[in-house]
Amino acid sequence: MNELTPDPIDYLLRRKFGFPTVDDPGLAYPSTEALVSKLGEAQRQAYDTCKAALEIKKPEEIRALFEAERAKYRPQEKTNVDPQEQRRFFNLPAAAADFKHWSKAAHWTLDEAVALSFGKAPEVVNWKSVEPYEDVSPFAKRYRQVRDLALRAAQWQQLFDPMLPGIFLAWAERADIAVPPELVAAVKARGVQVADWKTLYDQLLARHKELAKLNSATIEQQRLTIAELNELSSSLANEIAAVRAAAAADSPKGREIGTRERDSLLKLVIGMAVGGYRYDPAQKRSDKLPEIVSDLERAGVPLDADTVRKWLKQAADLLPPKQTE
């Protein structure tokens, strides 16, 4: 290929991806392979896809696209646009930022944020790569100015390094610094709140005060409820104690049994045991004991065998001597 008769497909690819062409006077003209090798992986894939799509077109289609693209350039030569500025690396398509990717980032560094405000890929466009063009490039001058404002804002903690994307976007809006709407939309789509730290602080403080007030009211209501419950519990306890005292006073269990009454009950017990069950107090292990225990249980007044044996033994002491021999 020579400069007078460029290869149509190569020309179209160079124009699409911002590479110098034979129509760019005064610019270096490196090989297409060398230029492609400097592209990122995504850009290289896009280049290969575009090249493959062109190669399957008919020759007359390629010629028409070539002539139409070349015709676009000639009117630009009459404008005040500096072709050399257009061809600098930061104005090439490969320098465009991937907003979808950067909207996912948890934070941006100061230099990343400045590059993104211009719609540029921070991995390609940054102050280190832009600074050499500061004296000759309008873009580099604007980049320096925005970076200077950001650095000054960081000194007063209006910005940080690194910082939340929402904080930078809010600062840029307040400082009248144009930011690509696509970037703002992509960040907001992630649920990120675009607000500076002062706004966020004020919102959190107001919310804290609201919750504290609500919490104090809840605690006071709980305190009153607990006091009422304690008072009710104390009143019920007094009533229960009074009822129990009255019941104990009226109940036979509440009165002390005298000796004569006790003896009478024991005589009744031993009499029924001897007469009803033919219980023999003289036997150390009476076979009537299980029967007595069983009958008590059926009557609904169960007693264990040891208790029955104890009272029968005490009752037996009241029998006349002839009954215990």
Side-chain angles (χ1 to χ4, degrees):
M1 182 185 70
N2 57 62
E3 293 187 0
L4 297 178
T5 56
D7 177 80
I9 291 180
D10 183 70
Y11 183 88
L12 290 170
L13 290 170
R14 281 176 170 264
R15 292 287 288 168
K16 181 174 180 61
F17 288 87
F19 300 156
T21 69
V22 295
D23 293 327
D24 298 326
L27 294 182
Y29 192 81
S31 68
T32 303
E33 292 76 9
L35 294 171
V36 172
S37 67
K38 296 180 180 180
L39 295 176
E41 182 178 354
Q43 287 290 320
R44 283 200 301 272
Q45 291 178 356
Y47 179 90
D48 293 339
T49 300
C50 185
K51 182 178 180 181
L54 289 173
E55 288 176 342
I56 63 175
K57 292 183 179 295
K58 296 178 180 180
E60 55 269 25
E61 292 179 315
I62 294 296
R63 173 57 58 180
L65 291 172
F66 169 72
E67 292 178 354
E69 184 65 28
R70 204 169 192 187
K72 291 179 184 178
Y73 178 75
R74 293 192 175 95
Q76 294 178 7
E77 294 177 339
K78 300 177 183 180
T79 68
N80 294 325
V81 177
D82 182 1
Q84 191 169 3
E85 174 74 0
Q86 286 185 314
R87 297 303 173 185
R88 291 191 172 110
F89 77 95
F90 38 72
N91 286 323
L92 298 181
D98 183 351
F99 294 147
K100 183 177 180 180
H101 165 73
W102 286 100
S103 69
K104 300 177 183 178
H107 70 264
W108 297 340
T109 66
L110 199 66
D111 210 21
E112 288 170 346
V114 172
L116 289 169
S117 72
F118 285 93
K120 304 301 181 181
E123 61 271 25
V124 176
V125 179
N126 49 68
W127 181 238
K128 183 177 180 180
S129 62
V130 172
E131 186 178 11
Y133 299 88
E134 182 181 2
D135 295 332
V136 296
S137 166
F139 171 84
K141 292 177 181 179
R142 292 196 306 273
Y143 192 102
R144 176 184 57 76
Q145 291 172 344
V146 173
R147 179 174 179 271
D148 177 69
L149 293 176
L151 289 172
R152 293 175 184 273
Q155 290 181 343
W156 288 94
Q157 295 188 335
Q158 295 176 5
L159 294 179
F160 306 91
D161 193 5
M163 77 196 90
L164 298 175
I167 290 180
F168 177 81
L169 294 177
W171 171 81
E173 181 180 1
R174 192 173 63 251
D176 292 328
I177 295 174
V179 176
E182 298 86 354
L183 176 62
V184 178
V187 170
K188 288 184 175 180
R190 301 288 174 188
V192 176
Q193 185 176 8
V194 176
D196 57 28
W197 70 267
K198 184 65 168 59
T199 301
L200 293 175
Y201 171 79
D202 291 341
Q203 291 175 350
L204 288 174
L205 183 60
R207 181 58 177 161
H208 172 74
K209 290 181 178 179
E210 180 182 350
L211 291 176
K213 184 178 180 180
L214 179 61
N215 187 50
S216 297
T218 301
I219 292 175
E220 178 62 18
Q221 182 60 45
Q222 290 176 344
R223 187 189 67 78
L224 293 175
T225 301
I226 291 172
E228 292 175 358
L229 290 175
N230 286 337
E231 184 178 353
L232 178 60
S233 176
S234 178
S235 176
L236 290 175
N238 292 335
E239 292 181 13
I240 292 172
V243 170
R244 286 178 175 175
D250 294 337
S251 173
K253 294 181 180 179
R255 299 191 300 270
E256 184 178 353
I257 300 177
T259 302
R260 292 184 62 183
E261 290 176 321
R262 180 178 180 278
D263 289 347
S264 296
L265 287 173
L266 290 177
K267 287 177 181 180
L268 181 62
V269 169
I270 196 62
M272 287 190 294
V274 173
Y277 292 93
R278 297 186 180 281
Y279 172 74
D280 184 1
Q283 291 182 351
K284 291 185 177 181
R285 298 187 65 83
S286 174
D287 57 355
K288 302 299 181 180
L289 191 62
E291 184 179 355
I292 296 173
V293 171
S294 178
D295 287 347
L296 288 171
E297 186 173 357
R298 278 197 298 272
V301 285
L303 289 174
D304 60 71
D306 290 338
T307 301
V308 173
R309 185 182 296 109
K310 181 186 72 171
W311 290 113
L312 287 175
K313 182 178 179 181
Q314 292 185 24
D317 292 340
L318 300 177
L319 289 173
K322 64 180 179 179
Q323 295 293 334
T324 59
E325 293 177 356

